[in-house]
Amino acid sequence: MENDNRINDPYFLTDEKKSSNAYSQLLHQIIDDIVSSINNDKAYIGLSPQELKEAIHVENLLPEKGLGLGAVSSLLKEKVLPYFLKTSSTDYLAHLHGPSLIETIAAELIISTFNQSMDSWDQSPVATEIELEVIDMLCKLFGYSKGSDGSFTSGGSQSNLTGIMLARDWFCNTKLCHDVKKHGLPDNYKKLRLYTSEISHFSMEKSCHLLGLGYEGVVKVPVDLNQKMDVAELERLMVQDVEQGNIPFCVVATIGTTDYGSIDSVKEISQLCKKYGVWLHADAAYGSGVIMSEKYRCRIGDLSLCDSITVDFHKMFVMPISCSAILVKNGNNFEALTLHADYLNREEDEEDGYTNLVGKSMQTTRRFDALKVWLAFQVRGKNGWSEMISTCIENAEYFYTNLASNPKFEVTVKPEISSVVFRVLPQASDKLDADTLNKKIRRQLIHQQGVVIGQTVYNGFVHLKFTLLNPLLTHDKLDELIALILNMAENA
């Protein structure tokens, strides 16, 4: 009889009462289990990799007979929920990976339940129209005027890839009179050069590899003491390449580097791009959120000077992964991605007002991530967003100032956004060198205290990193973390 019940578990949410009841009961049970699993503020339970492997192991992942919804929800409560990293914890400060606003978690449930695919209007009617409105609003938010456009993507890497691909095709079409879409790369493609900060995101190299230009097509520009692109060096490298017969086609300005949150000067770089006739892309995956702060938005510069902008909503905007967008000043450049298929985006449908978004995306099947932005912007409003983002920036300033005034720490770059890179200095009696000491502190924080922080390298030395994306963090909490780290250093 028990097996019969398992077989009779509904497949989908439909208009049948049995189906809607099963859906509601399962979700309510899982919600209760999730809430009960978050019973402290620690970011992680502390298990080592081997301990975690043993804890989550099940003997038969694909049983001969299904266990049914009820039994598997119990297994989920036992084997999975207790071990999740809690990104909403104020003890989680490691990466550009933040908590999720409650309303955007609700949006995820809606997105998954209705399972719209954003490639054609007939697969996502209301979702298509919502995304169009959100993109229009985002273009205006970042200062773009009529004729601009954009598309949601899976993340900053895909947004950067899209921006660089559009830059390549635009340059080849307008400057080299060569249609890459029809004829492939031009004969002199090995001479094409993209310029970006030496500490920019690795997606620049990945993108140039995928686009057939290779790592050699990426010119890494030195940074100054504040970890910003050295614009004088940028021009020197561009001039040098032209003299050597190479072809500059794109510059990528980083608006918030991964480690330091440093912001390249869009104004100065845009002047060079106009001078040399190249595309300017802004990788603002991190720093785009600063636009929401009335007090600090001036720090990121005028991004409307850029030909394209990467915006990530699963970083400073604290929305669930994945949620990103690529914005383009001239929407006509999306023509590089347009290809009509009789089974998908028929031309006669588009002539009659049906918008098929596949023509602006590298993806075909794509999630309705725009709903998260639509919902969160309306829930929080300008004031709410300004307060959240400003709080994170001011927490970073407070934390940096405290570390800088303490001789037991060494700090690097003064934060412009919300990342602070530092290291603990060994005292005279310490047995460990600085690198070993800082590595040990990070590991002990994870496994003994449930506190998760970042680690990087600055000037050849191991450093620790706090990425402060959680507006619930208080100055008292930051003081407690400083004291905890010092205590670990003294007892290392």
Side-chain angles (χ1 to χ4, degrees), residues 299-358:
R299 291 188 177 183
I300 61 175
D302 182 3
L303 298 190
S304 71
L305 296 171
C306 303
D307 296 290
S308 53
I309 307 168
T310 287
V311 180
D312 257 12
F313 297 100
H314 52 233
K315 291 186 172 66
M316 281 204 89
F317 286 93
V318 289
M319 299 187 193
I321 297 168
S322 61
C323 197
S324 182
I326 175 74
L327 305 179
V328 181
K329 181 182 287 187
N330 182 352
N332 291 331
N333 286 300
F334 274 125
E335 197 277 331
L337 289 167
T338 301
L339 183 66
H340 286 281
D342 290 338
Y343 55 82
L344 188 63
N345 56 336
R346 294 161 291 275
E347 291 188 63
E348 68 266 21
D349 284 352
E350 294 179 358
E351 290 169 358
D352 290 336
Y354 296 86
T355 302
N356 299 308
L357 296 175
V358 71

Side-chain angles (χ1 to χ4, degrees), residues 228-289:
K228 300 169 183 283
M229 187 190 292
D230 187 325
V231 180
E233 274 295 290
L234 169 62
E235 182 165 27
R236 185 189 69 79
L237 289 167
M238 292 176 76
V239 170
Q240 176 180 285
D241 271 326
V242 171
E243 290 174 348
Q244 293 175 352
N246 293 319
I247 307 170
F249 79 97
C250 180
V251 177
V252 178
T254 305
I255 312 302
T257 56
T258 303
D259 275 340
Y260 313 102
S262 45
I263 299 168
D264 293 339
S265 174
V266 165
K267 183 178 180 180
E268 292 181 89
I269 295 171
S270 69
Q271 291 169 353
L272 279 185
C273 289
K274 289 176 183 176
K275 180 177 178 180
Y276 293 96
V278 303
W279 182 285
L280 175 56
H281 174 69
D283 176 12
Y286 180 5
S288 52

Side-chain angles (χ1 to χ4, degrees), residues 15 43 59 91 161 247 291 318 362 382 411 413 437 445 469:
D15 61 351
E59 289 300 324
D91 280 335
L161 173 61
I247 307 170
I291 197 78
V318 289
M362 289 188 172
K382 287 183 179 180
V411 292
V413 181
L437 175 64
L445 284 170
L469 298 182

Side-chain angles (χ1 to χ4, degrees), residues 412-480:
T412 59
V413 181
K414 185 176 181 180
E416 291 186 277
I417 308 180
S418 61
S419 292
V420 182
V421 176
F422 65 98
R423 65 175 178 157
V424 184
L425 295 175
Q427 302 306 300
S429 60
D430 287 348
K431 299 176 182 178
L432 303 178
D433 63 84
D435 282 2
T436 304
L437 175 64
N438 283 275
K439 288 179 182 179
K440 185 175 182 179
I441 288 171
R442 187 183 74 89
R443 287 280 181 88
Q444 287 183 338
L445 284 170
I446 296 173
H447 298 298
Q448 295 178 13
Q449 301 293 327
V451 177
V452 185
I453 69 171
Q455 178 182 309
T456 189
V457 174
Y458 174 79
N459 280 347
F461 296 103
V462 171
H463 281 66
L464 303 176
K465 180 176 70 168
F466 276 22
T467 308
L468 306 174
L469 298 182
N470 191 333
L472 297 181
L473 266 167
T474 64
H475 292 179
D476 287 344
K477 176 68 176 184
L478 291 170
D479 291 342
E480 290 173 12

Side-chain angles (χ1 to χ4, degrees), residues 23-37 69 72-74 76-77 81:
Y23 175 85
S24 180
Q25 289 170 11
L26 178 64
L27 291 185
H28 277 91
Q29 182 61 58
I30 289 176
I31 289 169
D32 288 343
D33 292 343
I34 290 172
V35 171
S36 66
S37 75
L69 293 175
V72 173
S73 68
S74 297
L76 183 68
K77 181 179 180 180
L81 293 179

